[in-house]
Amino acid sequence: MYTQALNITDKIRTAEDPADLARFQSRIDADDRIEPNDWMPAAYRRTLTRQISQHAHSEIVGQLPEGAWLTRAPSLRRKAALLAKVQDECGHGLYLYAAAETLGTSREALVDALLEGKAKYSSIFNYPTLTWADIGAVGWLVDGAAIMNQIPLCRCSYGPYARAMIRVCKEESFHQRQGYEIMLTLCAGTLEQKAMAQDALDRWWWPCLMMFGPPDGESQHSDQSTLWKIKRFSNDELRQKFVDATIPQAQKLGLTIPDPALVQDADGHWRYGAIDWEEFRQILAGNGPCNRERLATRRRSHEDGAWVREAAAAFAAKRAARQQAA
Amino acid sequence: MPTPDTTLWEVFIRSRNGLAHKHVGSLHAADATMALQAARDVYTRRGEGLSVWVVPSNAITASDPADKGMMFEPAESKIYRHPTFYDVPDDVGHM
Ligand SMILES: [Fe+2]
Ligand SMILES: [Fe+2]
């Protein structure tokens, strides 16, 4: 998901008092929330720092595919909505960086890790947005998948992360609805417009299923994350919820899910075909269609903003010095 | 090149007149003016507030969770501080 490579629990264990560990686990088991100054195992701190900061990076990099269409939105209404959505994603990144910092790593160190290519962000943002219909598909599917993942995180054991997720979830539903509305409009339009919507679904469907991360059998992580109540559902459980929720929405649009193996079970769940995990691995390894461009854009933006940060710091220092002299 | 550290601020918002300012999160800014502007942009995009406070994080003195017992336990045994401790006959009416 937005934290797909990140729910890997640290294997390295430092010597910790078993009594402290037991007390910590019993707090978790009692559904108590952990707050920044509370004692916590070093691995819990590292796991969360990595997960929350990866989530933050995803929100920030996630502005880029949609930002590309801000100047080309087909109407003022669409442009205002898209601008508001992209601003929200920036806000989500900032709430999450702030939550990650409460674990003791500075904002600057977190941002530098992204810019140096040491930190990961969601695989989904390494795909290009080729047509206007992609903006519809991203809102509908990418934000839809994000919501599936983020709702259980509102009950995460770490207080600041859970609180950030509550704010984020409140804002996400507009994102998905504006995307779906774009799809509805295209599907009710000309044949070309509907074909454009179908093409966007064809390209985004499988990458969206990959957002939930590797299948449960293969993921070496999540056991510890589940025990710590960071993760409440497995990758496959969330993926299944997403598929079941999305298929009726696609039917309503009159679009075809690009999966010939798709069948509905007697229990109502949709069984989907095999996911191309090699594509997923390639993207995580940096070889997706837009990996290089995304990172280069973030770096350029950071460098272009350096003079603003320097000027603000110089101005604050000058004013502080004047106040001291007075 | 590593980014130089920028001051951390805690943000408090009053959502309605009559309510207290409530902590909503934190942000980085070089000075108080910029912190207020950033707080407006980050935390009030949907009319969440009528008033914003920003406080440098390092100006806050917090109690240590390890002292929780020493700090708060004394209050737990003082049940006579609660109205339900006192017996008043029902026919006295609401009190
Ligand atoms: Fe978001
Ligand atoms: Fe979103």
Side-chain angles (χ1 to χ4, degrees), chain A residues 2 59 85 89 92 143 172 175:
Chain A
Y2 277 21
E59 302 284 353
K85 181 188 189 288
E89 304 304 2
H92 297 175
D143 287 80
E172 286 292 357
H175 299 179

Side-chain angles (χ1 to χ4, degrees), chain A:
Chain A
M1 181 35 67
Y2 277 21
T3 55
Q4 61 208 167
L6 242 214
N7 39 24
I8 304 167
T9 310
D10 261 289
K11 292 269 178 324
I12 321 121
R13 288 284 161 86
T14 33
E16 276 164 348
D17 184 349
D20 283 340
L21 286 167
R23 212 174 304 123
F24 179 80
Q25 189 60 47
S26 69
R27 288 188 61 193
I28 299 268
D29 294 343
D31 270 329
D32 197 1
R33 290 291 160 83
I34 308 303
E35 293 296 340
N37 295 327
D38 293 346
W39 186 89
M40 62 186 88
Y44 179 84
R45 186 184 299 278
R46 275 196 305 269
T47 300
L48 273 170
T49 302
R50 195 168 39 188
Q51 173 161 340
I52 302 171
S53 63
Q54 179 171 342
H55 197 158
H57 301 327
S58 300
E59 302 284 353
I60 296 298
V61 177
Q63 295 175 92
L64 301 177
E66 290 173 297
W69 281 87
L70 282 170
T71 56
R72 294 178 286 167
S75 69
L76 195 53
R77 182 179 188 273
R78 295 290 185 216
K79 187 178 192 154
L82 187 59
L83 190 57
K85 181 188 189 288
V86 172
Q87 280 180 319
D88 274 357
E89 304 304 2
C90 182
H92 297 175
L94 297 179
Y95 310 151
L96 284 159
Y97 280 131
E101 287 174 83
T102 63
L103 291 157
T105 306
S106 74
R107 171 78 57 97
E108 290 77 8
L110 298 172
V111 170
D112 289 343
L114 172 69
L115 298 178
E116 285 160 19
K118 290 184 202 153
K120 296 228 182 299
Y121 55 88
S122 176
S123 58
I124 196 73
F125 300 120
N126 290 311
Y127 291 89
T129 42
L130 301 178
T131 72
W132 172 250
D134 288 25
I135 299 307
V138 167
W140 170 36
L141 301 171
V142 175
D143 287 80
I147 291 169
M148 281 296 166
N149 179 257
Q150 288 172 161
I151 285 174
L153 286 172
C154 294
R155 294 187 296 130
C156 164
S157 60
Y158 189 57
Y161 193 24
R163 290 192 286 276
M165 280 297 103
I166 290 169
R167 285 190 74 85
V168 166
C169 284
K170 274 191 195 153
E171 300 180 351
E172 286 292 357
S173 74
F174 132 64
H175 299 179
Q176 192 183 19
R177 287 171 67 101
Q178 67 87 37
Y180 194 70
E181 195 193 78
I182 291 171
M183 296 302 271
L184 274 169
T185 306
L186 290 171
C187 290
T190 63
L191 285 177
E192 286 91 338
Q193 286 171 322
K194 185 157 186 189
M196 197 192 264
Q198 180 66 56
D199 168 65
L201 173 58
D202 291 348
R203 284 180 290 106
W204 288 94
W205 176 253
W206 292 106
C208 282
L209 295 196
M210 293 173 200
M211 283 175 71
F212 296 92
D216 295 350
E218 272 174 46
S219 52
Q220 65 286 55
H221 16 68
S222 59
D223 283 3
Q224 185 61 70
S225 279
T226 306
L227 217 60
W228 279 333
K229 295 194 182 165
I230 296 171
K231 205 173 164 64
R232 301 252 180 184
F233 295 98
S234 76
N235 295 351
D236 283 336
E237 282 170 334
L238 289 169
R239 189 165 16 244
Q240 187 64 51
K241 274 177 195 262
F242 172 74
V243 170
D244 290 341
T246 308
I247 287 175
Q249 296 163 356
Q251 288 170 336
K252 195 106 195 139
L253 293 169
L255 296 178
T256 309
I257 301 279
D259 179 359
L262 206 62
V263 284
Q264 195 170 22
D265 272 358
D267 59 4
H269 293 300
W270 288 89
R271 300 284 156 234
Y272 47 89
I275 295 172
D276 179 3
W277 291 112
E278 183 48 31
E279 178 178 322
F280 178 70
R281 274 187 286 274
Q282 283 302 322
I283 293 205
L284 282 194
N287 303 320
C290 300
N291 291 58
R292 265 164 276 254
E293 194 203 314
R294 298 292 186 236
L295 210 51
T297 305
R298 285 311 312 151
R299 283 189 188 131
R300 189 163 17 115
S301 156
H302 190 74
E303 282 158 20
D304 289 351
W307 71 269
V308 180
R309 292 188 296 275
E310 281 160 23
F315 181 71
K318 187 177 79 178
R319 256 224 308 230
R322 258 196 215 144
Q323 245 161 24
Q324 218 148 42

